[in-house]
Amino acid sequence: VQLVESGGGLVQTGGSLGLSCVASGFSFEDYVIGWFRQAPGRQRQGVACIIPKDGRTYYPLTAGGRFTISTDNAKNTAYLQINNLKPEDTADYFCAADPRGLGEPGWVCEYGADYLGKGTRVNVSS
């Protein structure tokens, strides 16, 4: 399983950013795909999860409601759109994949995933 994120960078407060995750080495549609983030000194948290096969999504309440996850199954690629960025969104953002939880994408977002990418850094300036 390989997950390669891109799209991070420096953004001003109130701006938007799109992250991408290219997946390989597994059957994309047979996994739950998620995005997690970890801010300095804080625990990793799930912000969005999706089942590529049917498009069902899950957003943890703690994520704040400004995230949109989507996939392009033909490209084995997942995306995370973040709107109205705030300084507290500064974190490393990781793409995740797990074959469990296909009945409910929230399971991965809440309990974690077996596979994570190396992450992409998002810095939001105030």
Side-chain angles (χ1 to χ4, degrees):
V1 173
Q2 280 197 319
L3 302 163
V4 180
E5 304 94 336
S6 62
L10 178 63
V11 188
Q12 289 187 332
T13 296
S16 298
L17 196 65
L19 306 180
S20 299
C21 169
V22 177
S24 61
F26 64 101
S27 180
F28 189 71
E29 293 191 39
D30 290 334
Y31 278 60
V32 176
I33 304 298
W35 284 94
F36 289 72
R37 69 180 179 183
Q38 187 165 17
R42 302 193 68 178
Q43 285 189 326
R44 188 180 299 142
Q45 67 168 160
V47 297
C49 287
I50 189 169
I51 298 176
K53 182 172 288 187
D54 59 21
R56 277 185 291 159
T57 58
Y58 177 85
Y59 300 95
L61 292 176
T62 52
R66 294 172 289 107
F67 301 89
T68 303
I69 188 171
S70 61
T71 62
D72 183 336
N73 294 351
K75 296 181 178 179
N76 284 358
T77 300
Y79 305 96
L80 182 71
Q81 179 70 25
I82 316 171
N83 296 323
N84 190 22
L85 280 155
K86 304 176 180 181
E88 51 264 41
D89 293 320
T90 293
D92 290 319
Y93 284 75
F94 301 89
C95 182
D98 199 296
R100 300 168 294 177
L102 286 175
E104 175 49 67
W107 193 91
V108 170
C109 262
E110 296 294 345
Y111 296 106
D114 273 353
Y115 302 100
L116 287 178
K118 293 183 178 180
T120 185
R121 174 67 60 88
V122 173
N123 279 302
V124 184
S125 62
S126 57

